[in-house]
Amino acid sequence: MHRYSPERVHLALVLLAVCLLLAACAGSTPVADAGQPISDPDAAQALDAGAGTDASGGPDAAPPDGSSAPDASPSPPDAGSSPDAGLDLKCTPTFTLQLEDTGPKGQVFADAVPDPEAFAQETGRTVCKILYRSPEEVRDANHLTLIIRDDPQYPGWKAGDVGDITVMISSDHLAKVKAQGQDVAREIRGILLHEMTHMYQHDDKAPGEGTYGRLGNVIEGVADAVRIRAGYPPTGARPSKSGAWDDAGYAKPAFFLLWVDGRHAGFLHDLNLSMVAGDGVAWTPDAFLSITGVGVDALWSQYAGAACCSGTSQLCCN
Ligand SMILES: [Zn+2]
């Protein structure tokens, strides 16, 4: 028989509080609609523009190489005219826009991107030009559904795999970017470059593969490396050289990968191909040694001294 005792009641209350706390923590895994896990809830912490170097930092200053942003409406790829034609064709997905927010915040998107299909297709081609050299190398992804939703929690995410991909961009986030006087079209391009890299990049995710503990950070690093290489670094993104190269995602590994690519031409292309899923090989950082002839730890310590890739200059890591 349970006899009542104040100590036992106190203990029970403490235990209850702990359980509630644990339940609350366990329940916070973000879930996209229809129960799909958000494969890329990465932009959450960037809501306050510039906090954390995430995929959705506000627009940055002019691209480091000074070239103008490719915001103009793109010309459709012409199949026969250039060697890249096959690659362009492979990375021009069919497109569906779901403008869920038809209110003033949704209008911010519509005003910034009058032709979303052309805008998204051109972004896909830009991603592939940075990651690939021939259409055969490209991971299959045929259709993009772009959702514009009034989501105060995430500025953006990507869901789906091989074939049908869904990207969500938050109209709430875009309205905040606009309210801060920043370039909304540039922000959309940056988020889309990041999320569409997830659409086309290899990620080692196959049975018996994908076992590297920090694979997620490497995948996010490649996505931000493409965004930065295209001239759309997240606002506030700066190289970080403390700790390990992959103990965080996004800008930290991104700038490092771009620095390695600057020293070993084609590194980013080869790194992405080393992450092909279904090749029977679980990816590890040994790929750095196979590609460059130098181990990742040695490269990371060399990178520590690279002044051209630092908080004040990204001349050799863009
Ligand atoms: Zn991401």
Side-chain angles (χ1 to χ4, degrees), residues 90-259:
K90 179 84 179 178
C91 298
T92 301
T94 54
F95 178 84
T96 303
L97 176 69
Q98 282 181 18
L99 189 60
E100 290 181 4
D101 180 358
T102 55
K105 289 194 265 187
Q107 193 58 42
V108 171
F109 171 82
D111 293 343
V113 180
D115 186 347
E117 180 171 19
F119 191 94
Q121 291 175 333
E122 195 229 355
T123 306
R125 292 192 290 269
T126 302
V127 167
C128 286
K129 279 192 181 74
I130 292 170
L131 283 180
Y132 295 107
R133 294 183 185 143
S134 71
E136 299 73 37
E137 296 174 338
V138 181
R139 176 187 180 170
D140 278 335
N142 313 314
H143 185 78
L144 173 68
T145 299
L146 178 60
I147 300 174
I148 306 301
R149 172 180 296 164
D150 185 357
D151 184 335
Q153 190 178 6
Y154 295 111
W157 48 253
K158 170 256 181 185
D161 204 357
V162 181
D164 255 340
I165 305 296
T166 301
V167 167
M168 189 287 290
I169 297 180
S170 164
S171 54
D172 180 72
H173 175 66
L174 298 180
K176 284 186 176 107
V177 167
K178 186 175 183 213
Q180 290 164 0
Q182 297 172 9
D183 181 335
V184 176
R186 201 178 157 75
E187 176 67 4
I188 297 167
R189 180 80 75 184
I191 294 177
L192 217 44
L193 280 161
H194 180 103
E195 303 300 350
M196 290 187 77
T197 298
H198 290 325
M199 177 173 180
Y200 288 113
Q201 73 182 124
H202 293 294
D203 60 9
D204 200 45
K205 291 182 182 167
E209 299 171 32
T211 52
Y212 179 60
R214 291 175 174 168
L215 185 65
N217 288 344
V218 183
I219 290 168
E220 294 301 344
V222 171
D224 261 9
V226 168
R227 177 176 179 168
I228 295 165
R229 173 59 55 84
Y232 296 80
T235 297
R238 290 291 177 272
S240 154
K241 299 184 177 184
S242 58
W245 73 277
D246 57 351
D247 60 9
Y250 314 112
K252 182 174 187 177
F255 282 114
F256 174 57
L257 299 177
L258 289 168
W259 176 80

